[in-house]
PDB file of all heavy atoms in Angstrom:
ATOM      1  N   GLY A 296     -27.700 -11.962  41.642  1.00 94.00           N
ATOM      2  CA  GLY A 296     -26.285 -11.704  41.522  1.00 94.00           C
ATOM      3  C   GLY A 296     -25.827 -11.280  40.130  1.00 94.00           C
ATOM      4  O   GLY A 296     -24.601 -11.240  39.880  1.00 94.00           O
ATOM      5  N   ALA A 297     -26.758 -11.012  39.203  1.00 96.00           N
ATOM      6  CA  ALA A 297     -26.329 -10.562  37.883  1.00 96.00           C
ATOM      7  C   ALA A 297     -26.556  -9.079  37.794  1.00 96.00           C
ATOM      8  O   ALA A 297     -27.345  -8.491  38.512  1.00 96.00           O
ATOM      9  CB  ALA A 297     -27.124 -11.268  36.817  1.00 96.00           C
ATOM     10  N   ALA A 298     -25.796  -8.464  36.897  1.00 96.00           N
ATOM     11  CA  ALA A 298     -25.927  -7.010  36.671  1.00 96.00           C
ATOM     12  C   ALA A 298     -27.121  -6.721  35.820  1.00 96.00           C
ATOM     13  O   ALA A 298     -27.017  -6.319  34.619  1.00 96.00           O
ATOM     14  CB  ALA A 298     -24.654  -6.479  36.042  1.00 96.00           C
ATOM     15  N   ILE A 299     -28.294  -7.004  36.343  1.00 97.00           N
ATOM     16  CA  ILE A 299     -29.589  -6.814  35.622  1.00 97.00           C
ATOM     17  C   ILE A 299     -30.472  -6.005  36.555  1.00 97.00           C
ATOM     18  O   ILE A 299     -30.590  -6.368  37.733  1.00 97.00           O
ATOM     19  CB  ILE A 299     -30.210  -8.208  35.300  1.00 97.00           C
ATOM     20  CG1 ILE A 299     -29.331  -8.983  34.344  1.00 97.00           C
ATOM     21  CG2 ILE A 299     -31.617  -8.007  34.710  1.00 97.00           C
ATOM     22  CD1 ILE A 299     -29.733 -10.435  34.256  1.00 97.00           C
ATOM     23  N   ASP A 300     -31.094  -4.940  36.063  1.00 96.00           N
ATOM     24  CA  ASP A 300     -31.912  -4.133  36.999  1.00 96.00           C
ATOM     25  C   ASP A 300     -33.370  -4.099  36.580  1.00 96.00           C
ATOM     26  O   ASP A 300     -34.229  -3.612  37.301  1.00 96.00           O
ATOM     27  CB  ASP A 300     -31.393  -2.727  37.184  1.00 96.00           C
ATOM     28  CG  ASP A 300     -31.423  -1.929  35.900  1.00 96.00           C
ATOM     29  OD1 ASP A 300     -32.338  -2.091  35.064  1.00 96.00           O
ATOM     30  OD2 ASP A 300     -30.477  -1.163  35.652  1.00 96.00           O
ATOM     31  N   SER A 301     -33.717  -4.688  35.388  1.00 97.00           N
ATOM     32  CA  SER A 301     -35.129  -4.646  34.922  1.00 97.00           C
ATOM     33  C   SER A 301     -35.490  -5.864  34.157  1.00 97.00           C
ATOM     34  O   SER A 301     -34.735  -6.277  33.283  1.00 97.00           O
ATOM     35  CB  SER A 301     -35.340  -3.412  34.003  1.00 97.00           C
ATOM     36  OG  SER A 301     -34.982  -2.217  34.685  1.00 97.00           O
ATOM     37  N   THR A 302     -36.605  -6.508  34.520  1.00 96.00           N
ATOM     38  CA  THR A 302     -37.103  -7.713  33.817  1.00 96.00           C
ATOM     39  C   THR A 302     -38.616  -7.662  33.654  1.00 96.00           C
ATOM     40  O   THR A 302     -39.283  -7.256  34.605  1.00 96.00           O
ATOM     41  CB  THR A 302     -36.629  -9.003  34.574  1.00 96.00           C
ATOM     42  OG1 THR A 302     -35.191  -9.078  34.565  1.00 96.00           O
ATOM     43  CG2 THR A 302     -37.201 -10.230  33.948  1.00 96.00           C
ATOM     44  N   ILE A 303     -39.083  -8.120  32.503  1.00 96.00           N
ATOM     45  CA  ILE A 303     -40.534  -8.289  32.285  1.00 96.00           C
ATOM     46  C   ILE A 303     -41.004  -9.492  33.024  1.00 96.00           C
ATOM     47  O   ILE A 303     -40.470 -10.602  32.758  1.00 96.00           O
ATOM     48  CB  ILE A 303     -40.804  -8.345  30.792  1.00 96.00           C
ATOM     49  CG1 ILE A 303     -40.452  -7.042  30.040  1.00 96.00           C
ATOM     50  CG2 ILE A 303     -42.294  -8.676  30.547  1.00 96.00           C
ATOM     51  CD1 ILE A 303     -40.449  -7.154  28.551  1.00 96.00           C
ATOM     52  N   VAL A 304     -41.979  -9.341  33.920  1.00 95.00           N
ATOM     53  CA  VAL A 304     -42.452 -10.500  34.716  1.00 95.00           C
ATOM     54  C   VAL A 304     -43.894 -10.837  34.441  1.00 95.00           C
ATOM     55  O   VAL A 304     -44.433 -11.740  35.064  1.00 95.00           O
ATOM     56  CB  VAL A 304     -42.260 -10.266  36.202  1.00 95.00           C
ATOM     57  CG1 VAL A 304     -40.757 -10.235  36.550  1.00 95.00           C
ATOM     58  CG2 VAL A 304     -42.900  -8.949  36.637  1.00 95.00           C
TER      59      VAL A 304
END
Side-chain angles (χ1 to χ4, degrees):
Chain A
I299 298 167
D300 63 35
S301 303
T302 296
I303 294 169
V304 291

